Amino acid sequence: MAELPPVSLGVHILAGYAAALALRRPLETRMVLTADDVRQPKRQFVFDFLLGMAAGLLAAALNIAVHGFPPASTLGLIYGVLIYSFFIALDMSLARERTIILDALARNATRPPPRRLYSMTRRFTLVAVATALCVSVVNLSVIARDMSWLTTVGSDPAATREAILSVTWEVLFIMAVLLGLAVNLIVSYSRNLKLLFENETGVLERVANGDLTRLVPVATRDEFGLIAGHTNTMIEGLRHRIELLTALQLAEEVQRTLLPAAPPRMAGLELSGTSLYCNETGGDYYDYVLLPGGRLGIVVADVSGHGIDAALFMASARAFLRSEAERYEGPARLARDVNRYVAYDSGPTGRFISMFFLEIDPAAKTLRWVRAGHEPAVVYNAASASFHALGGDGIAMGILEHAEYRDYRRGGWEPGSVVVIGTDGITETRDAAGEFFGAERVRRVVAANASRPAGAIQAAVIEAVRDFRGQAPQEDDVTLVVVKLA
């Protein structure tokens, strides 16, 4: 085959590759483009490598059929085509990967991280070993053939120099071709890595600036694909968290609208109330209810637990109470009717509500109340500097559907008396050492500030609780209503 004119050999090789190129497009569509995106580069390599080998085998077959060469003489041609097909197939595989990356970037498409990792280290190692093997085998075969040829040159110095020069140029040409193919692969792979790296860093810069609209396309099954997949998971998590925070902020705003914007103005009464939640939303609730006959109802309630679920439960309980207050007959009847609805709703959840409802009649100077599992309110008599608890029996609402409640009544008060109604978030506030704030501290603060307006008394108690807690976290919702009686 070495005696075959280059033109004839070129015609046979060209005929083989022309046939391969004619079949390439339809075969590529069926064998490569139908695969999943991340698998297409691997299929592209296998497809182009086999197609190149088929073209080389066809050229060798033409030499055997047309010129009658023995099959063994075509091994050099087949090996050359094998090396060429290997490099071309790798380049086409990288081009396919680049197309997929660009397409994914244009569509902002994404997918989960790859289940099976094909590391870049392994890919580099395989390509480097294959390239070194190809170069070594080519050089060995060329050198072995040329050494055999050099033995036939003879002892003429000029002929020997010319033969050595010819062998040298042949080896350099082969090395230059192989080096060019290897450099082309390096450049092609570098372009892909640059695309992946720039997109990854670009998306992360957007995330750092608060833009979560873009995701990183998972276009490879190497470390970049794994990083991209986990980056997308992080972005989706941030999106969900922002949506959750937005929803919580909205829930907080809605819950704030359920609390009184300001206390009602009533002759003989000075009112102040507040709720401080340990989360964005909470289960504490207070309200003022205008009752027939110029009376005022004050409700302070505490749902078990805190957070969004407790807030929702509190909102439904508030609706029940507001509805029943329109048919108000007394604190006990109100608690009984509200409890029926609350127990019906709380059955599947196991939640319950403690409530203290106080009815104040400024004209008659009477207090009437019901206690549904809540901490007793206290009345401070400024004239005698004494406290009196507004206690009584009553189970928390939501536990027993048919629970009965009892009214309690207290007549008369001294001008300047103070009524304090709070939740257990005040008395059970703990400092860094784990000590509770307790009811006694509440009474001391109230007594020390009893001469001040109701708002100042309420603010003093809240400030004392905060100072006592210090750097310890707020563990429960805090609600406090202060009434100063004229």
Side-chain angles (χ1 to χ4, degrees), residues 165-443:
L165 186 62
S166 176
V167 170
T168 302
W169 280 112
E170 183 179 14
V171 172
L172 289 176
F173 173 77
I174 293 172
M175 292 295 295
V177 171
L178 293 175
L179 181 62
L181 292 172
V183 169
N184 177 67
L185 285 181
I186 294 172
V187 171
S188 184
Y189 193 58
S190 298
R191 291 173 62 190
N192 291 7
L193 292 181
K194 183 180 179 182
L195 279 175
L196 293 169
F197 181 75
E198 288 180 348
N199 185 61
E200 178 80 29
T201 54
V203 170
L204 290 176
E205 287 176 1
R206 285 172 174 262
V207 171
N209 294 325
D211 182 1
L212 304 179
T213 58
R214 298 285 296 183
L215 297 175
V216 186
V218 182
T220 62
R221 291 192 286 177
D222 54 17
E223 286 82 352
F224 272 99
L226 189 65
I227 293 172
H230 288 302
T231 301
N232 294 338
T233 302
M234 177 195 71
I235 293 174
E236 292 291 350
L238 289 174
R239 285 178 181 174
H240 177 70
R241 183 172 179 81
I242 289 176
E243 291 173 358
L244 181 61
L245 289 175
T246 303
L248 285 175
Q249 289 174 354
L250 179 60
E252 181 181 12
E253 293 175 7
V254 171
Q255 187 174 31
R256 287 295 176 187
T257 63
L258 300 180
L259 299 177
R265 295 181 178 273
M266 297 189 68
L269 299 180
E270 189 179 326
L271 306 165
S272 181
T274 188
S275 281
L276 304 174
Y277 300 132
C278 58
N279 296 324
E280 287 79 2
T281 57
D284 277 12
Y285 164 61
Y286 78 95
D287 205 353
Y288 309 109
V289 183
L290 298 178
L291 302 175
R295 294 169 295 172
L296 176 68
I298 300 175
V299 56
V300 174
D302 183 3
V303 177
S304 58
H306 45 265
I308 188 67
D309 50 346
L312 292 172
F313 197 61
M314 179 275 283
S316 64
R318 174 189 182 274
F320 298 145
L321 187 140
R322 280 281 181 173
S323 175
E324 290 301 318
E326 295 180 0
R327 299 183 291 274
Y328 181 77
E329 296 181 6
R333 176 68 179 270
L334 177 68
R336 186 195 70 184
D337 293 343
V338 172
N339 174 70
R340 261 199 336 266
Y341 296 114
V342 171
Y344 180 80
D345 280 356
S346 67
T349 66
R351 289 197 175 277
F352 59 88
I353 302 176
S354 68
M355 185 189 76
F356 190 95
F357 185 89
L358 175 67
E359 174 200 297
I360 305 177
D361 188 340
K365 286 194 173 184
T366 60
L367 303 177
R368 197 157 60 128
W369 68 91
V370 64
R371 180 171 171 254
H374 199 82
E375 289 195 347
V378 293
V379 179
Y380 176 70
N381 188 324
S384 61
S386 61
F387 283 91
H388 179 80
L390 304 182
D393 298 327
I395 190 172
M397 294 188 294
I399 298 175
L400 296 176
E401 182 177 356
H402 300 291
E404 293 292 334
Y405 296 90
R406 178 183 171 187
D407 284 344
Y408 294 89
R409 186 178 183 278
R410 175 184 172 91
W413 61 68
E414 293 293 331
S417 294
V418 179
V419 181
V420 178
I421 314 171
T423 58
D424 58 7
I426 298 174
T427 56
E428 294 181 3
T429 291
R430 291 187 291 187
D431 62 8
E435 182 182 355
F436 288 113
F437 187 73
E440 185 59 34
R441 285 189 175 88
V442 175
R443 295 189 177 197

Side-chain angles (χ1 to χ4, degrees), residues 25-259:
R25 178 61 63 183
L27 291 176
E28 182 184 48
T29 301
R30 293 188 59 183
M31 300 177 63
V32 178
L33 300 183
T34 56
D36 187 72
D37 286 352
V38 295
R39 290 182 173 84
Q40 286 186 19
K42 182 178 180 181
R43 286 202 180 190
Q44 188 77 53
F45 170 78
V46 174
F47 170 75
D48 281 312
F49 181 75
L50 294 178
L51 192 65
M53 286 301 302
L57 292 173
L58 180 59
L62 288 175
N63 284 327
I64 295 171
V66 175
H67 300 286
F69 288 111
S73 65
T74 63
L75 291 178
L77 172 62
I78 293 174
Y79 182 69
V81 169
L82 183 147
I83 295 176
Y84 181 75
S85 298
F86 172 77
F87 282 100
I88 294 300
L90 275 178
D91 188 52
M92 296 305 296
S93 175
L94 292 172
R96 173 61 57 191
E97 184 178 81
R98 189 158 50 251
T99 300
I100 293 171
I101 295 171
L102 292 172
D103 181 63
L105 288 174
R107 295 184 291 109
N108 194 27
T110 184
R111 63 179 65 243
R115 295 181 179 178
R116 185 176 180 184
L117 182 66
Y118 292 89
S119 68
M120 290 187 292
T121 303
R122 186 170 67 174
R123 293 171 67 180
F124 275 125
T125 301
L126 290 175
V127 172
V129 170
T131 302
L133 185 63
C134 291
V135 171
S136 300
V137 173
V138 168
N139 284 335
L140 287 174
S141 62
V142 169
I143 291 172
R145 188 195 65 182
D146 290 343
M147 289 296 293
S148 177
W149 173 65
L150 285 173
T151 58
T152 64
V153 171
S155 58
D156 183 12
T160 301
R161 283 196 300 272
E162 183 177 353
I164 293 173
L165 186 62
S166 176
V167 170
T168 302
W169 280 112
E170 183 179 14
V171 172
L172 289 176
F173 173 77
I174 293 172
M175 292 295 295
V177 171
L178 293 175
L179 181 62
L181 292 172
V183 169
N184 177 67
L185 285 181
I186 294 172
V187 171
S188 184
Y189 193 58
S190 298
R191 291 173 62 190
N192 291 7
L193 292 181
K194 183 180 179 182
L195 279 175
L196 293 169
F197 181 75
E198 288 180 348
N199 185 61
E200 178 80 29
T201 54
V203 170
L204 290 176
E205 287 176 1
R206 285 172 174 262
V207 171
N209 294 325
D211 182 1
L212 304 179
T213 58
R214 298 285 296 183
L215 297 175
V216 186
V218 182
T220 62
R221 291 192 286 177
D222 54 17
E223 286 82 352
F224 272 99
L226 189 65
I227 293 172
H230 288 302
T231 301
N232 294 338
T233 302
M234 177 195 71
I235 293 174
E236 292 291 350
L238 289 174
R239 285 178 181 174
H240 177 70
R241 183 172 179 81
I242 289 176
E243 291 173 358
L244 181 61
L245 289 175
T246 303
L248 285 175
Q249 289 174 354
L250 179 60
E252 181 181 12
E253 293 175 7
V254 171
Q255 187 174 31
R256 287 295 176 187
T257 63
L258 300 180
L259 299 177

